[in-house]
Amino acid sequence: MTGNGSVSARAGRTRIRVELPFPSLLPPIAHQVLGLRNLAFRAGSARRHVTTVADTADFRLVRAGVVLIHRSDPDGDEWGLAAANWLGLDGERTRASDGTATVPPEWDEILAPLRRHAPLSPVATLQVERQDFQIRGDSGNEMGILSDAKVTIRRGGVITARFREITVRAGKKSLNPDQLAWIEQTLVEAGGTSVTVFPSLARRLGAPATNETDFPDPERMSSGWFDQFVAREIATALRQVVVSTDPQPVADLSRRIGLLEPALDPQWAAGLRSTLDSYVDSGQDQTRRLGLIDLLVADVRAPQILDSWPTDSDAAIERLRGLALTRVEQAVGGLTTDAPEQAWQDAAAAIGPAEELVVTFARGGRDRKRAKKLRKLGRRLADCVDSDGERLRAQVTTATVDEAFALGREFERVHADVERRRERLLEELDDVMDEVRS
């Protein structure tokens, strides 16, 4: 969107990119042996336009991979929007300008989560001068197109950068490798630098456009240190909140932070979960959404980890697993066949969080086996809870004599079955816990 716009389809795909010094003259490309005659102006291709980049004062859009521009040329004015792939948008969008500085309202849904409450304003102006040239062969035939784009960037009315981008496009049956190599050589000898891709607009603009994005890519984030691990969890949800009002990713993050909570600063974790749960429970209106994004942007940069915990991710997660399994051992350790019903219920309830922790942060087959064993233990403990006892007792109060007798018989049978399951589990419990720990 810096002025290299498209060339006609027949010009083919780009084969050469060269950065040429701004004041340099284009070199002659003639080479009789290679069958190259000269460069010739392409009629009607000379263009001049002014592109204004709109953004927040800290370049939140550009840092997120989004470029919002207003382009003015002799044919009229238009708005343009190019967005990073993670936002789910394809290519560049354009809309005719209504003659005002108002951004097309249909883009508000895209831009609002990125800029939050920060206002948009002109942050840079790019003056673009472009000319296309025919690359002509011996017979005067067009073999390709050389595009020459000169760009001057002004910020605050002051020129901050000037650059020149040369691209050569060739059709499938036109310029051959030797001819392309010669053209590239002449441009380099004229002071140019051959590049694979031109620098991004952010690099052309300079700081703060080159500062880190508010929305880091989780796939590219390190996770070896535990604070990085937590930051990546937050970053995953953050990007999803930006592109969707679906509350599920927010609920998932709250659950995951809850699992990690023993290793986190209590006040920080409680505040984060409170905001996440409020968003899920109280509706996803725009004000709440923007507030949540602001919070996650801050938290992804500085997760609060307890000083007493390992800084290594693997060690921290393993310690969390150990704590969860210790809670399971404590819950089942005092069980007896005639222990209070509540003790059996608590033991069964302790399995879920431990299994969830192991499954959520599984690091391989060993963890998956642990989860399977915990799940099996959880089912056995659930079978040892006398869940029908209270129901049968309640029915006795309104039953006839015959019904009460039948209920009593059923109660004795159910209780005996539960007691047998308890006895069997208690006999095997040490071995079961050894398997879970292994």
Side-chain angles (χ1 to χ4, degrees):
M1 298 180 71
T2 60
N4 289 347
S6 60
V7 178
S8 65
R10 67 191 179 92
R13 60 192 181 92
T14 300
R15 300 294 182 90
I16 298 172
R17 293 181 178 87
V18 174
E19 287 202 59
L20 198 65
F22 200 86
S24 296
L25 297 175
L26 286 175
I29 65 162
H31 195 298
Q32 187 174 1
V33 174
L34 293 176
L36 295 171
R37 176 184 289 185
N38 60 2
L39 294 175
F41 285 104
R42 199 171 191 217
S45 67
R47 305 280 292 180
R48 289 190 177 190
H49 66 260
V50 176
T51 297
T52 300
V53 180
D55 208 328
T56 65
D58 59 357
F59 286 80
R60 293 182 183 183
L61 300 186
V62 170
R63 289 190 291 111
V66 175
V67 179
L68 175 65
I69 59 127
H70 183 270
R71 183 187 292 118
S72 299
D73 62 25
D75 293 335
D77 297 352
E78 67 176 5
W79 285 95
L81 177 66
N85 291 336
W86 68 271
L87 289 166
L89 305 177
D90 297 324
E92 178 182 346
R93 302 180 175 198
T94 58
R95 295 288 185 275
S97 174
D98 61 2
T100 70
T102 303
V103 178
E106 62 267 31
W107 293 351
D108 285 345
E109 185 177 350
I110 301 168
L111 300 174
L114 300 171
R115 67 182 183 87
R116 281 94 77 200
H117 301 289
L120 295 174
S121 62
V123 293
T125 300
L126 284 66
Q127 182 176 325
V128 182
E129 299 179 35
R130 175 177 169 162
Q131 173 67 61
D132 289 349
F133 297 85
Q134 292 179 324
I135 300 172
R136 299 172 69 183
D138 281 339
S139 60
N141 58 306
E142 181 182 298
M143 304 181 71
I145 299 296
L146 183 148
S147 297
D148 182 3
K150 297 179 179 179
V151 183
T152 301
I153 297 180
R154 287 182 172 84
R155 288 174 58 183
V158 178
I159 294 177
T160 58
R162 300 178 80 182
F163 58 92
R164 188 174 178 185
E165 297 177 345
I166 306 295
T167 57
V168 173
R169 294 174 171 85
K172 292 182 179 179
K173 298 181 179 180
S174 52
L175 295 169
N176 62 45
D178 290 338
Q179 292 168 330
L180 287 166
W182 168 253
I183 294 170
E184 185 172 19
Q185 180 183 330
T186 64
L187 291 169
V188 171
E189 290 177 351
T193 301
S194 182
V195 297
T196 304
V197 294
F198 292 119
S200 64
L201 177 62
R203 286 185 57 190
R204 297 295 195 191
L205 294 173
T210 50
N211 292 350
E212 291 184 1
T213 176
D214 290 341
F215 313 101
D217 181 358
E219 297 299 321
R220 301 178 65 181
M221 295 175 69
S222 299
S223 61
W225 300 115
F226 188 51
D227 59 345
Q228 296 173 334
F229 180 89
V230 178
R232 193 171 68 170
E233 294 289 328
I234 298 172
T236 300
L238 174 56
R239 283 199 164 196
Q240 292 169 323
V241 174
V242 168
V243 300
S244 172
T245 57
D246 181 2
Q248 189 57 52
V250 181
D252 289 342
L253 178 60
S254 179
R255 178 182 62 82
R256 295 168 85 91
I257 293 296
L259 295 173
L260 300 172
E261 200 159 3
L264 307 176
D265 177 83
Q267 186 174 354
W268 177 81
L272 175 56
R273 292 196 70 194
S274 175
T275 303
L276 295 170
D277 294 343
S278 176
Y279 181 79
V280 172
D281 297 338
S282 302
Q284 295 76 53
D285 62 81
Q286 188 73 321
T287 299
R288 287 182 181 274
R289 184 185 180 199
L290 298 184
L292 176 59
I293 292 173
D294 269 331
L295 175 69
L296 296 181
V297 165
D299 285 348
V300 78
R301 292 172 177 158
Q304 303 297 305
I305 311 300
L306 288 177
D307 293 338
S308 58
W309 272 74
T311 56
D312 176 78
S313 293
D314 287 339
I317 296 299
E318 189 58 35
R319 183 173 171 184
L320 283 167
R321 291 193 195 100
L323 281 179
L325 294 176
T326 297
R327 293 192 192 99
V328 171
E329 288 179 334
Q330 291 172 343
V332 302
L335 292 176
T336 61
T337 54
D338 57 352
E341 192 64 34
Q342 187 63 49
W344 285 95
Q345 293 176 3
D346 292 344
I351 300 297
E355 180 195 346
E356 186 177 18
L357 177 71
V358 173
V359 170
T360 301
F361 303 113
R363 294 294 180 97
R366 182 184 178 190
D367 287 335
R368 286 189 287 272
K369 289 179 180 178
R370 278 177 173 171
K372 185 177 180 180
K373 292 169 184 176
L374 280 168
R375 196 175 306 118
K376 181 179 178 180
L377 176 57
R379 288 196 297 266
R380 294 188 67 179
L381 283 167
D383 287 341
C384 292
V385 173
D386 193 359
S387 56
D388 288 330
E390 288 300 318
R391 176 182 61 82
L392 295 172
R393 290 190 188 93
Q395 290 178 347
V396 167
T397 60
T398 58
T400 64
V401 174
D402 291 341
E403 289 172 338
F405 181 78
L407 288 170
R409 293 281 300 273
E410 184 180 358
F411 177 83
E412 289 177 358
R413 180 186 59 77
V414 168
H415 184 71
D417 288 343
V418 168
E419 195 167 73
R420 280 193 295 271
R421 288 194 291 269
R422 288 179 179 182
E423 289 174 350
R424 184 177 177 184
L425 176 58
L426 291 173
E427 289 172 358
E428 301 172 358
L429 192 54
D430 288 343
D431 292 337
V432 171
M433 291 308 302
D434 286 344
E435 289 182 1
V436 169
R437 277 286 189 183
S438 64

